[in-house]
Amino acid sequence: MKRKSPVHWRNAVLIVLAAFSLTACASFWLSGGLPLLKIAPETLGTRTVEHRSTIIWRGEQKTLEMVLDIHADTVTVIGMAFGARLFSFDYDGNKITETQPLPSGLSATRIMNDLLLTVAPLDALRVALPTGWAVYEKEKELRQVYFDEALNISIHYAEGLPWRGRVVLDNHALRYQLTLDSREAETDVP
């Protein structure tokens, strides 16, 4: 049996390390480089909101219904299609716990970050963004998120309100657009 030279093994190890490095870069790119934001649910106010989410990415359009049930200690996100529950997860301000698994291709972190970027109060969002990221608002109708001084995300509020009406998030870095048509659920007051 012929033994492989040390040079051959070294090249094989370098190839494996390069593959891991590329995988890590792809993962970083898919997350947009933004880790899960840490914002206390209580800053969002207690409410139940219905979202119709439409995403356009790579020329394809997908629509998903979501319900956000927000309390002082937890945000519960429920994804639905045609009246059937597709997934659900809870966010406690630090981590996400999937209570019903997300379909392949959906990321709870991406969903939660997009929601927080859109609805979190400006001061809470500024504190939560990691080093290198910054957020600015223009007259309550436009929120812009920068990474290393480059415009990364633009959020347009048709009615100047994050919880009601249409909000359009353009993720320039990852090249997708998310439109949220929202309304707060009516509560029965005795």
Side-chain angles (χ1 to χ4, degrees):
M1 179 153 106
K2 186 176 178 182
R3 277 190 87 157
K4 301 203 180 211
S5 71
V7 172
H8 176 78
W9 285 108
R10 185 183 61 199
N11 289 344
V13 168
L14 289 174
I15 290 170
V16 169
L17 288 175
F20 281 130
S21 175
L22 288 174
T23 302
C25 287
S27 174
F28 178 82
W29 178 250
L30 290 174
S31 71
L34 185 61
L36 177 64
L37 295 171
K38 312 245 185 212
I39 297 177
E42 66 188 15
T43 65
L44 306 177
T46 300
R47 63 187 80 222
T48 299
V49 181
E50 298 172 358
H51 282 300
R52 179 179 189 140
S53 308
T54 304
I55 187 165
I56 300 173
W57 185 60
R58 293 187 176 178
E60 290 186 40
Q61 180 174 311
K62 305 277 185 196
T63 300
L64 176 69
E65 304 291 331
M66 287 193 299
V67 175
L68 309 179
D69 192 21
I70 305 168
H71 297 279
D73 58 349
T74 307
V75 176
T76 299
V77 178
I78 302 167
M80 304 181 73
F82 306 110
R85 187 182 205 146
L86 291 178
F87 66 85
S88 62
F89 63 84
D90 293 324
Y91 169 74
D92 67 3
N94 288 305
K95 68 181 185 318
I96 290 173
T97 305
E98 289 186 26
T99 51
Q100 186 173 347
L102 277 76
S104 177
L106 286 180
S107 162
T109 299
R110 168 65 51 214
I111 291 169
M112 199 66 231
N113 275 351
D114 284 349
L115 290 171
L116 290 170
L117 288 169
T118 302
V119 302
L122 186 61
D123 291 339
L125 185 55
R126 281 189 171 135
V127 170
L129 287 171
T131 303
W133 292 80
V135 60
Y136 304 97
E137 271 187 0
K138 295 182 181 173
E139 300 179 15
K140 301 284 184 194
E141 294 176 3
L142 175 65
R143 183 176 278 187
Q144 295 177 311
V145 183
Y146 289 81
F147 177 62
D148 284 342
E149 298 181 16
L151 181 60
N152 197 286
I153 297 168
S154 298
I155 304 166
H156 301 271
Y157 302 90
E159 297 178 31
L161 302 168
W163 299 110
R164 193 172 46 229
R166 177 165 282 188
V167 176
V168 178
L169 180 150
D170 286 299
N171 189 314
H172 308 294
L174 300 181
R175 297 186 175 133
Y176 69 85
Q177 183 179 76
L178 175 65
T179 301
L180 298 171
D181 290 302
S182 306
R183 70 180 183 92
E184 286 193 68
E186 298 296 322
T187 56
D188 295 331
V189 180

